[in-house]
């Protein structure tokens, strides 16, 4: 079993998927709501059918999943809140890969801590991307924990 980040959007999943695919140079698989059989008693609008039901980006032996939440589902699970409940932690990557991903993901976003060498990691940084998602990079996360635990 693996733990992965799953990002939910309010109609912006395709834009986010395109951005993350480019930034992370990943391979995408996706299914739109219109690709599954519709309930005739509650038909989806054309806009809702175009929304992403499920997708994943595979990159560097990782998977990131992304979907839209239909307005009708938000009445059940609550409103989609822009990025405040998810942090994507990129751990144990090499310094060059971290730098490349960090630079691309920070375009249009806010750098909280520039990627640099710090006492606990040779490559650490944090940013909020243009979709409000917080990313943390730590090239030495596992070795740091192993040294202290």
């Amino acid at each position: 079993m693996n733990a992965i980040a799953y990002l939910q959007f309010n109609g912006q999943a395709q834009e986010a998927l395109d951005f993350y695919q480019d930034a992370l140079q990943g391979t995408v698989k996706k299914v739109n709501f219109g690709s599954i059989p519709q309930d005739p008693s509650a038909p989806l609008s054309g806009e809702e059918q175009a929304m992403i039901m499920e997708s994943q980006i595979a990159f560097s032996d990782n998977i990131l999943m992304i979907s839209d939440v239909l307005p009708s589902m938000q009445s059940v699970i609550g409103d989609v809140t822009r990025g405040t409940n998810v942090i994507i932690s990129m751990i144990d990557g090499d310094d060059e890969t971290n730098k490349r991903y960090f630079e691309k993901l920070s375009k249009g976003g806010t750098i909280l801590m520039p990627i640099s060498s710090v006492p606990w990691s040779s490559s650490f940084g944090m940013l909020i991307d243009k979709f409000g998602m917080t990313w943390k990079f730590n090239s030495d996360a596992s070795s740091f924990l192993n040294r202290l635990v």
Side-chain angles (χ1 to χ4, degrees):
M1 179 180 291
N2 296 313
I4 61 169
Y6 195 111
L7 311 180
Q8 295 184 314
F9 290 91
N10 189 18
Q12 301 85 22
Q14 183 62 59
E15 183 182 356
L17 189 62
D18 293 342
F19 176 75
Y20 295 134
Q21 179 183 19
D22 178 60
L24 302 171
Q25 301 169 0
T27 303
V28 171
K29 294 179 183 176
K30 71 175 183 174
V31 174
N32 296 78
F33 282 100
S35 299
I36 61 170
Q38 301 296 303
D39 179 352
S41 65
L44 298 177
S45 69
E47 183 178 319
E48 291 171 323
Q49 289 184 38
M51 294 171 90
I52 293 177
M53 178 184 174
E54 194 86 286
S55 71
Q56 73 174 22
I57 302 171
F59 65 99
S60 299
D61 297 326
N62 297 291
I63 293 176
L64 178 64
M65 296 188 76
I66 295 173
S67 71
D68 282 310
V69 179
L70 293 172
S72 59
M73 288 301 299
Q74 290 184 45
S75 65
V76 175
I77 66 169
D79 293 337
V80 174
T81 304
R82 186 180 163 116
T84 57
N85 60 340
V86 176
I87 292 178
I88 303 159
S89 186
M90 305 290 278
I91 63 169
D92 303 327
D94 66 81
D95 295 356
E96 288 305 312
T97 301
N98 277 357
K99 183 178 179 183
R100 185 175 72 244
Y101 286 170
F102 189 93
E103 287 174 359
K104 288 194 171 205
L105 289 167
S106 66
K107 289 181 182 173
T110 303
I111 295 173
L112 300 175
M113 185 173 182
I115 198 150
S116 62
S117 178
V118 293
W120 61 90
S121 178
S122 63
S123 176
F124 183 90
M126 292 183 70
L127 64 92
I128 299 173
D129 72 24
K130 69 181 186 177
F131 295 103
M133 298 297 165
T134 302
W135 295 76
K136 177 171 72 172
F137 290 79
N138 185 348
S139 63
D140 301 312
S142 293
S143 61
F144 176 72
L145 286 171
N146 290 338
R147 283 194 314 267
L148 295 177
V149 175

